[in-house]
Amino acid sequence: QVQLVESGGGLVQAGGSLRLSCAASGRTFSIDRMAWFRQAPGKDREFVASIVLIGTTAYARSVKGRFTASRDNAKNTLDLQMNSLKPEDTAVYYCAANSRAGMAGYDYWGQGTQVTVSS
């Protein structure tokens, strides 16, 4: 089992920055890919960014150039630096982990942290 706990959410004005963190515990040695997703009120959960064990990242088009995902494998943490925030970035942000090598999707999820961007 893997446990994921997010932190760092809050209220920020448009144009501001926030840094989210996700702490993983348990069978962390099994984790390959980690990711951030978000879900705004009334909308489906959407992909934000992902990072694999060797550090290769991928981003949603809507956040590319503004958000940066990073990972500390020694500390089992995943961060998301969010700059130039927009009101449409308002959502609950979830950390996810994939422990099943070679398989798509994510089998572990955090409880989420709220990010609210005011205009």
Side-chain angles (χ1 to χ4, degrees), residues 69-86:
S70 59
R71 180 173 176 174
D72 187 328
N73 294 323
K75 295 182 179 179
N76 296 313
T77 57
L78 170 71
D79 289 346
L80 184 69
Q81 178 66 41
M82 306 185 293
N83 299 328
S84 302
L85 283 162
K86 305 175 181 180

Side-chain angles (χ1 to χ4, degrees), residues 6-43:
E6 303 96 334
S7 62
L11 174 64
V12 64
Q13 288 188 331
S17 299
L18 275 178
R19 188 176 184 89
L20 304 183
S21 293
C22 174
S25 60
R27 295 173 60 88
T28 56
F29 62 86
S30 64
I31 296 175
D32 174 21
R33 187 171 65 254
M34 298 188 75
W36 289 98
F37 286 76
R38 67 186 181 186
Q39 187 168 20
K43 295 188 177 181

Side-chain angles (χ1 to χ4, degrees), residues 28-104:
T28 56
F29 62 86
S30 64
I31 296 175
D32 174 21
R33 187 171 65 254
M34 298 188 75
W36 289 98
F37 286 76
R38 67 186 181 186
Q39 187 168 20
K43 295 188 177 181
D44 293 334
R45 186 175 298 187
E46 65 174 2
F47 168 79
V48 175
S50 65
I51 184 167
V52 296
L53 197 59
I54 61 172
T56 305
T57 55
Y59 297 94
R61 186 175 299 179
S62 59
V63 307
K64 199 167 188 178
R66 300 188 298 122
F67 291 11
T68 302
S70 59
R71 180 173 176 174
D72 187 328
N73 294 323
K75 295 182 179 179
N76 296 313
T77 57
L78 170 71
D79 289 346
L80 184 69
Q81 178 66 41
M82 306 185 293
N83 299 328
S84 302
L85 283 162
K86 305 175 181 180
E88 51 263 43
D89 293 319
T90 295
V92 177
Y93 283 70
Y94 297 91
C95 173
N98 180 2
S99 67
R100 305 163 301 178
M103 295 186 67

